[in-house]
Amino acid sequence: GAVVSQHPSRVICKSGTSVKIECRSLDFQATTMFWYRQFPKQSLMLMATSNEGSKATYEQGVEKDKFLINHASLTLSTLTVTSAHPEDSSFYICSARTLETQYFGPGTRLLVL
Amino acid sequence: GEDVEQSLFLSVREGDSSVINCTYTDSSSTYLYWYKQEPGAGLQLLTYIFSNMDMKQDQRLTVLLNKKDKHLSLRIADTQTGDSAIYFCAESSLNQAGTALIFGKGTTLSVSS
């Protein structure tokens, strides 16, 4: 099946700093990628849809200036959490869309101290 | 809005069959999916079914779809301890940016030996 990678897998940062998470589709091209957030023992919450070469579309309640998304190529989308605060600590998962489904990355655990 | 409901827990003995149920509300869903998530990991696509099908079998996995009742089930035959994980049901849904997945809250499957 299709492989999606994320980097880093785990990051700890100080409050007020920015953190960039990369999502790559390794063996296929994806014009559309998605960013999700998952709290402990909860389901995935869609944050935004990232389309190659255009601005991301954010779900209601997600601050676009706080969660910057860039989809510069057909295999890479990045999510930057700006001025991170402890409440941003979460598990961030990306996915890349094919014609019929989405393949997910392994996730990035963010801890903001 | 669209909603996907699952029971939260299922406990079975090794060797038994597991059946995880899901109901959804969006009658226009094109595809329905089952994903597996192990602790600390991303989501692994197990199987998916097109909405004009009523059954799909893939090795130990059987998916049944009752489109009239908007009910989806995943049967795992000969359940093993390695099947212990959270199983998410998801439906494809159109959002303003294209097609996203709407997830249920996940069913935690516990397999005892």
Side-chain angles (χ1 to χ4, degrees), chain A residues 54-80:
Chain A
S54 64
K55 290 184 180 180
T57 304
Y58 292 82
E59 295 300 300
Q60 194 171 8
V62 178
E63 299 175 59
K64 61 180 181 181
D65 294 331
K66 180 163 186 64
F67 299 100
L68 299 179
I69 291 172
N70 184 280
H71 194 156
S73 78
L74 287 171
T75 59
L76 173 64
S77 175
T78 60
L79 168 69
T80 301

Side-chain angles (χ1 to χ4, degrees), chain A residues 34 38 43 59 100-102 106, chain B residues 33 35 37 42 48 99 103-104:
Chain A
F34 300 90
Q38 186 180 32
S43 189
E59 295 300 300
E100 294 181 339
T101 189
Q102 293 180 27
Chain B
Y33 307 86
Y35 285 89
Q37 186 179 34
Y48 61 96
T99 303
F103 286 88

Side-chain angles (χ1 to χ4, degrees), chain B residues 37-67:
Chain B
Q37 186 179 34
E38 296 182 5
L43 271 69
Q44 174 194 352
L45 176 65
L46 286 179
T47 187
Y48 61 96
I49 188 167
F50 189 47
S51 60
N52 69 352
M53 299 168 65
D54 51 23
M55 187 183 93
K56 181 177 179 181
Q57 188 155 0
D58 183 2
Q59 299 182 342
R60 291 192 297 125
L61 305 178
T62 303
V63 178
L64 295 178
L65 173 61
N66 182 327
K67 198 172 179 183

Side-chain angles (χ1 to χ4, degrees), chain B residues 42-108:
Chain B
L43 271 69
Q44 174 194 352
L45 176 65
L46 286 179
T47 187
Y48 61 96
I49 188 167
F50 189 47
S51 60
N52 69 352
M53 299 168 65
D54 51 23
M55 187 183 93
K56 181 177 179 181
Q57 188 155 0
D58 183 2
Q59 299 182 342
R60 291 192 297 125
L61 305 178
T62 303
V63 178
L64 295 178
L65 173 61
N66 182 327
K67 198 172 179 183
K68 174 176 169 289
D69 295 338
K70 300 193 187 68
H71 182 266
L72 182 74
S73 68
L74 173 70
R75 179 177 179 270
I76 305 173
D78 188 25
T79 313
Q80 303 298 307
T81 54
D83 295 324
S84 294
I86 301 176
Y87 290 81
F88 289 96
C89 167
E91 62 170 351
S92 58
S93 179
L94 284 176
N95 67 359
Q96 58 181 322
T99 303
L101 293 182
I102 306 298
F103 286 88
K105 287 183 165 45
T107 299
T108 298

Side-chain angles (χ1 to χ4, degrees), chain A residues 25-99:
Chain A
S25 56
L26 297 185
D27 49 2
F28 66 102
Q29 294 183 330
T31 55
T32 302
M33 291 184 174
F34 300 90
W35 286 97
Y36 295 83
R37 184 173 178 177
Q38 186 180 32
F39 292 102
K41 299 190 187 302
Q42 292 193 26
S43 189
L44 280 73
M45 180 192 79
L46 178 65
M47 298 175 66
T49 303
S50 169
N51 293 296
E52 187 266 339
S54 64
K55 290 184 180 180
T57 304
Y58 292 82
E59 295 300 300
Q60 194 171 8
V62 178
E63 299 175 59
K64 61 180 181 181
D65 294 331
K66 180 163 186 64
F67 299 100
L68 299 179
I69 291 172
N70 184 280
H71 194 156
S73 78
L74 287 171
T75 59
L76 173 64
S77 175
T78 60
L79 168 69
T80 301
V81 183
T82 61
S83 186
H85 288 100
E87 58 266 29
D88 298 324
S89 298
S90 191
F91 192 52
Y92 292 87
I93 308 178
C94 73
S95 70
R97 182 186 167 193
T98 64
L99 194 61

